[in-house]
C-alpha cells in the first residue's frame, strides 16, 4: 500500500506545477490590469443611478508579445447589457477602444 501511494505521489513531487504560468500569460495579465484600472477610474467618475447592479467581466486574448485584446462585458444577472473591446499595447502601456 505504501508503494502504491509513493508511486502515485512521486510525479507530483518531481514535476513543478504552474512554474511558468505567469510567463506564459504575462501579456494577458498586464492587459487585464491596465484595462481594469482605467475602467474602474471611468466608472467612479461617472455617476449612475441605476437600480440594477451592472457587473463587468473581463476576457483577454493575446495577439503577440506586446499586444492583446480585452473584452469587457457588463451583465445584470443573465442579461448582457454592454460589451466593449479594447486593443492594449502592454509594452507602451497604451489602451485603444475598439468601436464596432
Amino acid at each position: 500500500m505504501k508503494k502504491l501511494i509513493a508511486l502515485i505521489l512521486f510525479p507530483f513531487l518531481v514535476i513543478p506545477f504552474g512554474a511558468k504560468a505567469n510567463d506564459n500569460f504575462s501579456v494577458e495579465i498586464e492587459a487585464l490590469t491596465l484595462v481594469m484600472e482605467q475602467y474602474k477610474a471611468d466608472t467612479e467618475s461617472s455617476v449612475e443611478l441605476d437600480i440594477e447592479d451592472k457587473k463587468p467581466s473581463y476576457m483577454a486574448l493575446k495577439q503577440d508579445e506586446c499586444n492583446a485584446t480585452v473584452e469587457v462585458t457588463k451583465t445584470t444577472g443573465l442579461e448582457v447589457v454592454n460589451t466593449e473591446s479594447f486593443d492594449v499595447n502592454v509594452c507602451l502601456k497604451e489602451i485603444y477602444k475598439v468601436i464596432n
Side-chain angles (χ1 to χ4, degrees):
M1 185 67 172
K2 290 182 181 180
K3 289 183 181 181
L4 179 63
I5 293 173
L7 200 90
I8 292 172
L9 294 177
F10 181 72
F12 296 110
L13 298 174
V14 174
I15 303 170
F17 284 103
K20 298 287 183 180
N22 288 338
D23 293 339
N24 292 339
F25 299 107
S26 63
V27 174
E28 291 96 330
I29 293 169
E30 184 69 25
L32 285 170
T33 305
L34 289 171
V35 170
M36 285 179 182
E37 288 173 355
Q38 179 190 356
Y39 198 75
K40 183 178 178 181
D42 290 345
T43 56
E44 287 177 355
S45 63
S46 65
V47 176
E48 292 184 15
L49 298 174
D50 286 339
I51 296 173
E52 301 172 352
D53 187 25
K54 296 178 185 173
K55 298 179 182 178
S57 62
Y58 301 88
M59 181 178 69
L61 302 168
K62 181 178 178 180
Q63 295 173 356
D64 58 25
E65 295 302 317
C66 285
N67 296 308
T69 300
V70 176
E71 291 185 0
V72 181
T73 305
K74 287 185 187 176
T75 59
T76 57
L78 297 175
E79 180 184 1
V80 174
V81 178
N82 190 10
T83 302
E84 297 175 320
S85 296
F86 299 94
D87 284 334
V88 181
N89 187 331
V90 176
C91 297
L92 301 175
K93 300 198 182 296
E94 294 179 343
I95 301 172
Y96 304 103
K97 185 173 183 178
V98 177
I99 300 174
N100 294 334

